[in-house]
Amino acid sequence: MGRGDMRRVLNVLQSAAVAYPQEITFESLFLVTGNPVPKHIDAVFQSLLNDSFNDARTTLHDMCTLKGYALPDVLTLLNERVLDTQLPRRMKAHLLAKLADLEYRCAAATSEKLQLSALVS
């Protein structure tokens, strides 16, 4: 989360201490920064790989809508999951290219709902 910057880590810890004075948990660190919780990204990734189109789209839509995650943030973390997963090189290359295309289209102000469906497909 700090990406090598100790000042960033301290700022996050201070924010978490203010927001959650009783106890700072792993999840509270993500909530205070607005970043998706890793277990939620894992659930989306597994759904994309194993579920039907409708089920995977519902899972992803619920994560973005109910948890308040931005699709570009989810795409960035899915990119990391693809890199860490044991998949054939060609499949990884294909998935990473598709994720890059989706991230570009999100930045170009296209409909997030449309890009969400494109990700699932």
Side-chain angles (χ1 to χ4, degrees):
M1 189 176 298
R3 297 183 187 140
D5 186 352
M6 186 55 79
R7 293 171 299 173
R8 182 180 287 173
V9 172
L10 291 174
N11 286 337
V12 170
L13 284 173
Q14 287 174 336
S15 298
V18 169
Y20 302 97
Q22 302 298 344
E23 179 182 21
I24 299 173
T25 63
F26 180 73
E27 192 167 312
S28 68
L29 294 174
F30 288 91
L31 294 173
V32 94
T33 60
N35 291 327
V37 178
K39 69 180 179 180
H40 296 159
I41 296 300
D42 290 338
V44 167
F45 188 64
Q46 290 305 316
S47 181
L48 290 171
L49 291 178
N50 300 316
D51 293 347
S52 68
F53 177 87
N54 288 333
D55 291 343
R57 189 183 187 294
T58 300
T59 300
L60 185 57
H61 182 266
D62 288 348
M63 287 293 173
C64 289
T65 305
L66 300 176
K67 303 291 184 189
Y69 299 149
L71 187 57
D73 293 340
V74 173
L75 291 173
T76 299
L77 294 172
L78 285 174
N79 186 16
E80 294 173 12
R81 291 295 183 276
V82 169
L83 290 172
D84 293 340
T85 303
Q86 296 293 334
L87 294 171
R89 286 183 183 181
R90 285 185 172 211
M91 185 180 293
K92 273 188 184 184
H94 177 75
L95 290 173
L96 291 172
K98 293 298 181 184
L99 287 171
D101 289 344
L102 286 168
E103 195 166 353
Y104 173 77
R105 289 195 301 258
C106 283
T110 57
S111 167
E112 192 166 298
K113 287 184 180 182
L114 182 63
Q115 297 312 316
L116 189 132
S117 293
L119 172 61
V120 175
S121 69

